[in-house]
Structure formats: C-alpha cells, structure tokens
C-alpha cells in the first residue's frame, strides 16, 4: 500500500513505523512542516499500561523510550503555605523532543520516508496514496477541509495556560496553587529528563486579564510566573520554546470530538488520528497516549482484516468503532479533571482546608476513588481518614483502625446522625387514604435496622388533591399522624437511625395511577382537579391544571404548615421540602413550567417566591433545633430549562431563608428531558452548590458502593449521600457495605449480632487467597 502520514507528531510517526514493520513493502511517507528535532513543548507523561501496549507492538521503540524515561511516584501539593505529599501514583515522563527523535530514528531505520519542512494544504496533494493519515494535530487542515464529513465539535475552554520549562528538577509531580489580589493561579510541574521539568501555569480568563497578561509579551509573562512561583522555583528560571506562536504565549485548551473519523476523497481514503481526531486535557496528561494507541489500533485492524487497498474501508470502520469508545472514556475523565482546574479558584481553593483540598485534587477525574487511594498510599489515606474523623467530631485511637468518611457522624442544628448514609425518599404507592400501614412499618423498620443514619419517608402529601396517586402517603389528618407516630416511635426505640419527612404536593403531576399500573397515566376514574404554577399539562394525556390563584397559594401554604405542625407532635427529626421533579413547588422554579406574568413568575426572584413563602412558613412552626432540607431539580436536562447555575441561585435563596441542606436531584420536570445518566451523575451538582454557595448538601443518584460514598464525602462534594434503589435491593445496605470494606466498628442491632460475625467471616474467607491444591 501507499500511505502518506500528514504531520510528523507521535501519531503519524508511530503509525508509519508500525505499518512499515508489518510489511516493508508498504511505501510510507511522513510529511512534517517543521524541521527535524524542531518542536514546541516540553515533557509528556503517560502510564505503564501504554508502555506495555507499545512493548508488544515494537520492542525497539519501547526500549528506547523506557531508557529515556523519568519515573516518579509522588505527588506534592503546595497551597496556603502548606506542602503536602503522597506516594504510589506511578507516572513516567519523557521530553516531547526526545520522544519524537526516537520515533524519527526508528522510522528511518525501518525505511519510512520522512519529509521535513513541507506544509501540506490538502489531502489531494497525494493522489497516488491508498491511505492518507491526517495526523496533523489539533488544527488539522485535512480535517477542516471536510467539516460536513468529520463533524468536528470543537470547544474552546475558558482557562488560559502557558507551557514553560525549567532546569530545576522536581522529585514529585508538583501542583502549586498561588493566590494573587485578583485570584488563583496553578502550576503543574513534572520532571521529564535529567535536567528539565515541564512547568505549565494556568488561570481563569478574568484573572489572566486582571493581571494584564493579555497585553504581556512572552518575556513579561515569564517574569510574572517566576515571581509568582518563586518559592517552588527556588531561584530557577522559567523558559519558553513556543517562539513560533504569534502574540501571547498563553493558550486556551481546545476540546475536540469528531462525529466521523474517515472519508474517501475520490482517490484515497483519509483517516483522522491523534489530536486531529480528539483531544484530552493535559490535566490527566493523555493526549500522546491516545495518539499512540490510535496508531496501534489501526495497525492491529490491518493485521486482522488484511493490509490491502480493498480492505481499507472495513479497516477504517473497525478502527473508528474501537477507538471512539476508548477515547470517550478518557475524554470523560479528562473533562472532570479539566473542569476541576477551571473552577478550582472559585470553588475549592478558598473554601476547602488544605487536607481536603488535596483529597479533592487527587480524586478530580473521578477515576481515582477512596479505595484506590488506599492502594496507592495507605498511610496517607489513613492519616486523611483520621483528620476527617476529627473534623466530624470523633477522636480515633491513633493505634486503632481509622473510620472512613461515610461512617463519621454528622451534626446539623440539634440533629446528630450516626453516619452519612441516607435512605432517599421513595414513593411506595401502598397507602389507602394517605394512611401509613403495616407495609410501611415493616418497610421503614427494616431499613432503619439496616444501618443508614437517616431514613426518609416517601413524598408525603399535604392534602388529598396534592397526591400523585391514590396510593401516596399523607399527613393531613390525625389518623395519618397516629400511624406515622407508630413507625417513628419504632425507629427511635429500636435503632439509632433518625427519621425524616419529605413534604410535597404533586401539582400538575397528580391524579395518576400507581407506578406499576402506568407511570404518569391519569386514573381511569375518580380523577381530581389539578393546580400548578401555570396551566400547562405534563403530557398531552394528563389534565391541564389550573394556574394557582393567590387564594390557592394561601390554602396550600396553610396545608404545608398544618402537616409540619403534626410532624412536630409525632417526632420527625428533619423535614425536607420537595421542590424537585416537576411537582407543585418545582413547577414554580422552572421556566419550563412557570409562565406567570405576576410576581410569582418571570425571574429567579419571582419563581422562588411561592416555594420560599412555603419554606418560611414551615420554618416558623418547625422547632429551631431541627433542620430542614430542600430537594431541588438541579438540572432540567431540557433546552430552556434550569441548569446547575440556576440551582445555585435558588440554593442561595433557600440558604438565606434558613435551609440547612440542599438535596441535589435533577430532572422529571419535562417529558422532553435528555438526562445524561451514569455513575454519580448528579454529584457534580451537589459539589457545585456545596462549595460555591456554601451550604451543606446531599448527593444522590447512582451512588451504590461504599467507595462511591467515601469518595464523595471525603472530597467534600457532599455532606451526606442518599441512596434509593440500593435500599430496595438491600435493606441493610449500610451494614453490608461496612463489612465489605472491613469496617467493624459499625454496630448491628443487638438481635442480629451473630449474623454480623458470620457475614464478616464469610467475606474474609472469600477474599483470602485460595490454598494451593
Ligand atoms: C500544555 C500541554 C501539555 C501536554 N501534556 C501532555 C502530557 O503530559 N502527556 C500527553 O500525553 N500529552 C500531552 N499533551 C498533548 C500532546 O502534546 C498531544 O496530544 C500529542 O502530541 C498528539 O499527537 P499528534 O501526533 O496527534 O499531534 P501533534 O503532536 O500535534 O503533531 C502534529 C504534527 O503535525 C504537524 N503539522 C500540522 N499541520 C501540518 C501541515 N499542514 N503540514 C505538515 N505538517 C503539519 C505539526 O507540526 C506537528 O508536528 C499536552 C498538550 C499541551 C498543549
Ligand atoms: C421507587 C422510587 C420512588 C421514588 N420516590 C421518590 C419520592 O417520593 N420523592 C423523591 O424526592 N424522590 C423519589 N425517588 C427518587 C429517589 O429519591 C432518588 O433521587 C433516585 O432514585 C436516584 O437515586 P438512586 O440512584 O440511588 O436510586 C424515587 C425513586 C424510586 C426508585
């Protein structure tokens, strides 16, 4: 085959040499606009897994790289006068120049033709090529010639960075955070050869401009960074080698995803590779790794499907399918890490204490979890667990086992929870006339015995016409109150769990069938009239509600207050006001459902007016030493709907009105929603609200392992973790998870103690290495 690789970066060179090695008869040319050995940038890092892959495909290159590698294990963080270090993180670094030289030399050795100092403008310059590799980097001219085919989605990220080097050698991957009068800067520093370290300085656009760096030439920018980071530089100078860049040497990262990676131009097949196809932010340092792995995968597909011109279409399709999945996974982690650095100044650097800040930094990509940190550096993690426990008010015996974050107590007003696990509200649709019955006693009783610190009742309605279904629970009469009291008394007398009431009104989503007879479907008979912020039906099948009048609002507010008074008498420990999921109060908060033109609609202030009136009225009758939470839909997942930024505005208002916690849910406001589900998918909302608004939060949504909860609580992304479905599957989720991670200090009900011992023993046996046969 005749192959032209346009662009002699890691992708083009490595693919060239791998294919030549596969079959020396292939005629392969790599065309590079720069001179040999002339490149920008300093060091790049990649992982042991990439090296293993490379070893399998070309041992010679891998060995040359390994000889030139710098390996280090430690991460050091400098912030607010503190210098903290952890180990076990295993990175390898190499100079970009060195890497390219190794690849160039190997190409020459194998007979790949290298053409330097030729700028390619079009793939049509190579009409004889069977295959053209567009490995011409992020600004790929080849890709840009076919935007309709490749569908590039390029987002310019907001932060500014400058990629510098220094001759000071660091023995750890070092992060240095510095505050100026205008805001925060961070430096990412790592050594990549015997006398050079990469030194990337990053900040937000507004801080960058406030310091006049948009007007600064390279020399002034370097002088600025040298002064700001003088402590960590310790007299060393910073250097640039980006002289080919025009104007400011400060860049914005471009995040790129392409809809399609290959195209037939009429003469040749063209395929994107490396940065031309996708980018991953340097916060997880994987751009070069992705480029090299692309090259390996394409070679592998040729080896599997056949390296002849007629096989090219199938090979390119297979390559794209495999790589698109891997790349999406890395891009996801890279996005989390990148976003962490974009908000670090406004969200974490000022608010978190250095210890927790460091934990948050280490877990920023959400690929490294609590237990993963334990594997990397047990001593550090245990010291962090002790620090966290002390902050939570418990003193751990320094010689005894530490307590992971989810098992530390939590105090809010006069309420003390034994641990950070909450059973999330879950409608069971099993009541008649709103009265809790034996099902509810057993359901809540079992779960309270199962170890969660706080059990929430399901959405409990304040009036019969405020129910979602005829099976919903209520608290509008004495009979219901007495039945609730029986359950609360059982929980308080028999377990250490606290019991919460979620108060709500269904609004336009009311008068429907129980879940298993058709979610959101109107009743076949006996429907009751609905009210909402505006006269908009939830779906065409549902009733059109009446837009609430002032009199309706007064009546509903009084209903909430009456329910709250009953809650005081029967001993609930906390009230959560349900302002999420499109129910009545949520219908005021979302612009999708609130189209009012009076003082109850049209702005954040107006949209929140009625929910806040209800909240304040309850707060007045609810005892001062008992907390209140508010559940919000932090994202409507719908064009024109609320986003986390709106949720932060509402959270601030509820905080000012006396809310203690925001329970950060999302969605169910509009049928048009397009939620992005996934592990911990709503935790970023909790993280934002907690650390930007400064209010305690509950994270909820696809949290299902102790490791998830520990990572969230440990990093300060939430104060509590609520789990719904896991508690349906396992009433004793908390007790079982404690045993799984080896925490023995969690107490089981005294009646069940012999079960605890057997369960722990069986787990220990199952994880012990099997004896030789
Ligand atoms: C600040 C920063 C830090 C980074 N740190 C890391 C890190 O630690 N680890 C890591 O793995 N990655 C890192 N990267 C990313 C990494 O540099 C790229 O992801 C990687 O180089 C991609 O390889 P590539 O071959 O696809 O593209 P490139 O390396 O960009 O190579 C493209 C080549 O094509 C040439 N070219 C472009 N247009 C033409 C044309 N029209 N004609 C001829 N030649 C052309 C260019 O001169 C260039 O040599 C970092 C990037 C930045 C910006
Ligand atoms: C059966 C069921 C009923 C639910 N009922 C309620 C409810 O009454 N009030 C509420 O705010 N959320 C309700 N939810 C949402 C949960 O509280 C929780 O936010 C959601 O299930 C995500 O958590 P998970 O991934 O742990 O299940 C319900 C969820 C389920 C599965």
């Amino acid at each position: 085959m005749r192959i032209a690789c346009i662009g002699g970066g890691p992708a083009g060179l490595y693919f060239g040499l791998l294919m030549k090695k596969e079959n020396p008869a292939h005629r392969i040319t790599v065309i590079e606009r720069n001179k040999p050995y002339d490149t920008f940038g300093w060091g790049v890092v990649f992982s042991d897994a990439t090296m293993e892959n490379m070893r399998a495909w070309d041992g010679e290159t891998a060995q040359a790289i390994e000889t030139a590698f710098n390996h280090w294990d430690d991460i050091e963080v400098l912030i607010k006068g503190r210098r903290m270090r952890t180990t076990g993180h295993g990175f390898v670094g190499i100079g970009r120049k060195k890497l390219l030289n190794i690849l160039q030399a190997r190409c020459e050795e194998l007979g790949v033709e290298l053409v330097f100092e030729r700028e390619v403008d079009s793939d049509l310059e190579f009409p004889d090529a069977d295959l053209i590799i567009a490995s011409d980097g992020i600004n790929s001219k080849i890709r840009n010639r076919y935007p309709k085919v490749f569908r590039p989605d390029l987002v310019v990220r907001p932060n500014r960075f400058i990629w510098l080097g220094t001759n000071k050698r660091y023995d750890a991957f070092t992060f240095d955070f510095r505050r100026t009068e205008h805001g925060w800067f961070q430096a990412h520093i790592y050594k990549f050869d015997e006398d050079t370290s990469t030194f990337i300085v990053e900040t937000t656009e507004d801080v960058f401009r406030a310091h006049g760096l948009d007007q600064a030439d390279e020399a002034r920018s370097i002088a600025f960074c040298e002064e700001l980071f003088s402590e960590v530089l310790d007299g060393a100078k910073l250097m640039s080698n980006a002289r080919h860049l025009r104007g400011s040497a400060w860049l914005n990262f471009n995040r790129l995803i392409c809809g399609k990676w290959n195209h037939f131009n009429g003469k040749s097949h063209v395929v994107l590779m490396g940065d031309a196809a996708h980018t991953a932010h340097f916060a997880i340092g994987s751009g070069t790794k992705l480029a090299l792995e692309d090259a390996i995968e394409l070679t592998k597909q040729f080896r599997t499907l056949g390296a002849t011109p007629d096989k090219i279409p199938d090979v390119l399709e297979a390559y794209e399918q495999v790589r698109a999945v891997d790349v999406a996974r890395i891009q996801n982690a890279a996005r989390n890490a990148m976003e962490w650095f974009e908000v670090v100044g406004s969200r974490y650097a000022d608010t978190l204490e250095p210890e927790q800040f460091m934990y948050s930094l280490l877990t920023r990509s959400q690929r490294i979890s609590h237990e993963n940190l334990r594997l990397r550096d047990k001593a550090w993690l245990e010291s962090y667990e002790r620090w966290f426990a002390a902050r939570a008010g418990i003193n751990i015996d320094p010689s005894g086992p530490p307590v992971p974050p989810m098992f530390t107590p939590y105090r809010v007003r006069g309420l003390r929870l034994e641990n950070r696990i909450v059973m999330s509200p879950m409608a069971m649709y099993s009541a008649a006339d709103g009265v809790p019955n034996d099902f509810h006693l057993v359901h809540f009783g079992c779960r309270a015995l199962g170890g969660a610190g706080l059990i929430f009742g399901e959405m409990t309605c304040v009036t019969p016409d405020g129910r979602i279904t005829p099976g919903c629970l209520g608290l509008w009469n004495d009979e219901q109150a007495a039945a609730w009291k029986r359950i609360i008394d059982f929980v308080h007398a028999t377990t250490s769990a606290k019991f919460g009431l979620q108060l709500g009104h269904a609004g336009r989503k009311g008068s429907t069938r129980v879940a298993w007879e058709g979610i959101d479907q109107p009743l076949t008979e006996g429907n009751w009239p609905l009210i909402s912020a505006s006269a908009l039906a939830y779906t065409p099948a549902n009733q059109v509600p009446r837009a609430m009048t002032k009199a309706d609002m007064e009546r509903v507010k009084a209903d909430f207050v009456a329910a709250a008074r009953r809650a005081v008498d029967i001993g609930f420990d906390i009230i959560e006001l349900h302002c999420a999921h499109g129910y009545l109060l949520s219908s005021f908060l979302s612009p999708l459902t609130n189209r009012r033109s009076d003082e109850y609609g049209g702005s954040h202030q107006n949209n929140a007016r009625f929910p806040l009136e209800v909240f304040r009225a309850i707060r007045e009758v609810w005892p001062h030493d008992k907390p209140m939470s508010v559940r919000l839909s932090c994202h409507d997942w719908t064009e024109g709907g609320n986003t986390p930024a709106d949720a932060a505005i509402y959270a601030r208002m509820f905080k000012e009105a006396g809310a203690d916690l925001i329970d950060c849910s999302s969605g169910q406001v509009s049928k048009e929603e397009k939620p992005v589900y996934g592990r911990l998918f709503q935790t970023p909302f909790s993280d934002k609200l907690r650390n930007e608004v400064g209010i305690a939060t509950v994270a909820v949504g696809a949290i299902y392992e102790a490791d998830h909860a520990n990572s969230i609580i440990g990093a300060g992304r939430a104060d509590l973790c609520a789990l719904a479905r896991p508690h349906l599957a396992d009433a004793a989720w908390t007790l079982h998870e404690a045993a799984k991670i080896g925490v023995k200090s969690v107490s089981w009900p005294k009646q069940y103690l012999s079960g605890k011992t057997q369960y722990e023993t069986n787990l220990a046996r199952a994880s012990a290495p099997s004896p030789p046969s």
Side-chain angles (χ1 to χ4, degrees):
M1 285 195 300
R2 177 83 186 88
I3 302 172
C5 301
I6 303 175
L13 290 169
Y14 196 49
F15 179 71
L17 75 85
L18 289 183
M19 282 303 283
K20 191 75 182 167
K21 197 180 162 197
E22 289 288 295
N23 182 355
H26 293 318
R27 283 180 299 143
I28 303 174
T29 311
V30 178
I31 306 104
E32 166 59 44
R33 67 178 168 202
N34 289 336
K35 296 188 186 117
Y37 314 122
D38 178 18
T39 180
F40 72 100
W42 301 94
V44 293
V45 292
F46 38 87
S47 66
D48 291 346
T50 314
M51 277 319 301
E52 212 168 286
N53 214 354
M54 291 181 80
R55 243 176 263 129
W57 284 87
D58 185 44
E60 284 82 347
T61 318
Q63 198 181 349
I65 291 175
E66 271 166 326
T67 314
F69 258 158
N70 270 267
H71 186 275
W72 71 101
D73 277 324
D74 292 4
I75 293 182
E76 186 161 280
V77 179
L78 284 82
I79 185 162
K80 298 184 208 168
R82 294 281 301 280
R83 192 183 272 264
M84 298 163 295
R85 188 179 272 243
T86 135
T87 194
H89 301 283
F91 299 96
V92 281
I94 185 169
R96 180 179 157 93
K97 277 189 187 184
K98 182 80 196 165
L99 173 70
L100 291 183
N101 292 352
I102 291 171
L103 297 176
Q104 287 162 358
R106 182 76 177 133
C107 277
E108 280 169 353
E109 191 180 303
L110 290 166
V112 175
E113 186 192 2
L114 299 182
V115 176
F116 290 99
E117 296 182 71
R118 173 170 168 194
E119 171 93 30
V120 178
D121 288 315
S122 161
D123 46 309
L124 300 177
E125 292 172 32
F126 305 91
D128 303 340
D130 301 303
L131 177 64
I132 296 176
I133 307 291
S135 50
D136 50 346
I138 173 73
N139 299 314
S140 171
K141 276 190 184 167
I142 309 301
R143 183 195 65 229
N144 290 344
R145 280 177 45 82
Y146 305 105
K148 288 209 174 93
V149 177
F150 295 126
R151 302 194 308 279
D153 168 15
L154 196 113
V155 178
V156 179
R157 299 302 306 191
N159 267 13
R160 292 291 188 144
F161 69 90
I162 183 165
W163 201 2
L164 302 170
T166 175
N167 288 127
K168 182 173 162 58
R169 286 170 297 159
Y170 295 83
D171 63 351
F173 197 126
T174 303
F175 293 101
D176 188 2
F177 295 83
R178 297 278 150 183
R179 203 188 200 306
T180 70
E181 68 275 29
H182 299 301
W184 288 88
F185 284 80
Q186 59 261 13
H188 312 233
I189 314 163
Y190 53 92
K191 186 177 91 162
F192 62 86
D193 68 24
E194 273 327 296
D195 48 23
T196 333
S197 300
T198 294
F199 202 108
I200 304 169
V201 178
E202 185 187 10
T203 190
T204 55
E205 180 76 18
D206 53 335
V207 176
F208 168 76
R209 286 182 183 275
H211 281 282
L213 291 166
D214 52 330
Q215 307 295 327
D217 60 13
E218 191 178 271
R220 220 195 97 201
S221 292
I222 289 180
F224 175 87
C225 293
E226 280 173 348
E227 194 183 331
L228 185 60
F229 292 102
S230 56
E231 183 188 329
V232 79
L233 279 167
D234 194 21
K237 294 277 167 213
L238 288 172
M239 316 175 278
S240 164
N241 62 2
R243 303 211 190 284
H244 62 289
L245 297 172
R246 281 182 298 275
S248 165
W250 294 79
L251 305 171
N252 291 81
F253 176 74
N254 293 302
R255 197 282 282 125
L256 172 73
I257 298 172
C258 286
K260 181 102 195 105
W261 295 18
N262 71 79
H263 169 59
F264 184 65
N265 70 9
K267 300 243 182 237
S268 320
H269 292 277
V270 181
V271 65
L272 306 181
M273 187 177 281
D275 272 13
H278 47 68
T279 54
H281 190 256
F282 55 85
I284 65 162
S286 287
T288 305
K289 160 198 157 79
L290 289 180
L292 297 171
E293 287 173 354
D294 282 356
I296 290 175
E297 185 59 38
L298 188 53
T299 312
K300 184 173 167 190
Q301 292 299 342
F302 274 117
R303 188 186 280 182
T304 313
L305 300 173
T308 47
D310 58 312
K311 295 289 183 346
I312 293 178
D314 290 348
V315 166
L316 298 188
E317 278 303 315
Y319 155 78
E320 182 173 331
Q321 269 186 21
V322 174
R323 288 307 290 154
V325 174
D326 286 354
V327 166
R329 204 168 32 79
I330 300 276
Q331 283 188 323
N332 242 347
R335 189 198 54 222
N336 292 338
M338 171 183 76
E339 287 175 356
W340 191 92
F341 283 108
E342 287 171 0
V343 299
V344 60
S346 61
R347 195 181 285 180
Y348 310 114
D350 284 320
T351 51
L352 298 182
E353 292 185 69
E355 285 81 356
Q356 191 164 40
F357 179 85
M358 178 153 174
Y359 185 103
S360 174
L361 168 72
L362 295 173
T363 54
R364 66 192 179 277
S365 74
Q366 291 182 30
R367 282 201 309 175
I368 294 173
S369 68
H370 195 76
E371 292 309 318
N372 201 270
L373 285 174
R374 198 185 306 282
L375 291 177
R376 289 166 184 241
D377 189 350
K378 187 162 184 274
W380 179 83
L381 189 76
E382 291 192 349
S383 78
Y384 181 69
E385 289 181 333
R386 290 201 168 83
W387 176 89
F388 190 94
R391 284 291 181 283
I394 47 170
N395 282 321
I396 309 281
D397 168 9
S399 58
V403 173
M406 71 182 255
F407 292 110
T408 60
Y410 182 68
R411 198 178 276 285
V412 50
R413 296 199 189 223
L415 177 68
R416 183 184 185 274
L417 303 178
E418 192 85 343
N419 59 53
R420 309 297 185 107
I421 299 303
V422 178
M423 180 173 105
S424 202
M426 274 182 289
M428 292 287 106
Y429 311 113
S430 298
D433 302 321
V435 184
N437 54 40
D438 286 355
F439 169 81
H440 300 98
L441 175 69
V442 174
H443 170 65
F444 291 126
C446 282
R447 280 146 187 89
L449 287 164
L454 174 63
I455 301 292
F456 257 113
E458 64 193 66
M459 173 169 133
T460 300
C461 309
V462 294
T463 54
D465 64 354
R467 287 175 300 168
I468 311 167
T469 75
C472 289
L473 285 172
L475 189 50
W476 64 80
N477 64 33
D478 292 343
E479 186 190 357
Q480 293 158 348
W484 270 118
K485 185 167 187 310
R486 177 171 166 245
I487 298 171
I488 300 166
D489 286 350
F490 171 83
V491 168
H492 284 163
T494 323
T495 79
S496 56
K498 302 294 187 230
F499 206 101
L501 169 67
Q502 188 189 50
L503 271 185
H505 186 300
R508 72 175 188 153
K509 291 176 79 176
S511 192
T512 64
R513 298 177 212 170
V514 296
W516 47 88
E517 287 173 8
I519 288 181
D520 301 328
Q521 297 297 311
L523 296 170
T524 43
E525 55 184 29
N527 283 293
W528 56 83
L530 301 180
I531 51 173
S532 189
S534 298
L536 298 166
Y538 183 48
T539 73
N542 295 98
Q543 268 180 67
V544 177
R546 188 177 78 242
M548 284 177 82
T549 62
K550 193 78 181 99
D552 290 327
M553 292 186 203
E554 288 306 317
R555 177 176 60 80
V556 169
K557 190 162 62 179
D559 291 336
F560 270 98
V561 170
R565 282 189 202 282
R566 287 196 162 91
V568 179
D569 296 339
I570 58 181
F572 275 110
D573 298 300
I574 175 172
I575 288 183
E576 173 162 289
L577 187 61
H578 198 339
C579 296
H581 303 169
Y583 297 116
L584 185 71
L585 299 178
S586 161
S587 77
F588 279 83
L589 294 179
S590 173
L592 299 172
T593 46
N594 184 343
R595 302 283 165 76
R596 299 177 74 101
S597 52
D598 62 2
E599 72 269 37
Y600 289 96
S603 65
H604 288 112
Q605 204 74 35
N606 286 356
N607 292 358
R609 193 179 303 280
F610 180 57
L612 282 169
E613 284 177 4
V614 173
F615 179 89
R616 287 200 189 93
I618 298 175
R619 190 62 269 183
E620 251 172 55
V621 300
W622 186 238
H624 184 261
D625 67 335
K626 291 195 177 188
M628 277 190 72
S629 63
V630 175
R631 182 166 260 210
L632 292 179
S633 279
C634 295
H635 204 318
D636 287 346
W637 305 109
T638 311
E639 193 67 37
N642 281 334
T643 65
D646 301 298
I649 294 171
Y650 292 133
R652 195 163 273 121
M653 292 176 179
F654 279 108
K655 179 187 170 186
E656 277 161 18
D660 303 289
L661 287 152
I662 302 291
D663 186 351
C664 301
S665 187
S666 74
Q668 299 173 50
V669 170
S670 158
K671 275 289 187 196
E672 309 298 308
E673 68 180 357
K674 292 200 172 49
V676 182
Y677 294 121
R679 196 170 51 92
L680 321 188
F681 76 109
Q682 294 171 154
T683 300
F685 313 144
S686 163
D687 185 1
K688 177 178 172 74
L689 268 48
R690 181 177 192 272
N691 294 306
E692 285 183 8
V693 176
I695 185 162
T697 57
V698 184
V700 63
I703 300 168
Y704 47 84
E705 287 174 7
D707 200 24
H708 298 161
N710 280 323
S711 307
I712 293 169
I713 308 282
R717 297 196 164 95
D719 297 271
L720 301 173
C721 283
L723 290 83
R725 291 164 297 170
H727 276 113
L728 296 182
D730 182 359
W733 184 88
T734 306
L735 300 182
H736 289 156
E737 288 296 308
K740 284 182 201 163
I741 59 167
V743 175
K744 303 212 163 162
S745 55
V746 172
S747 50
W748 285 41
K750 56 181 181 288
Q751 299 87 341
Y752 298 174
L753 279 176
S754 47
K756 177 179 195 245
T757 315
Q758 189 200 38
Y759 192 75
E760 288 172 352
T761 311
N762 287 345
L763 283 173
R765 261 198 217 124
S767 63
S770 42
S773 51

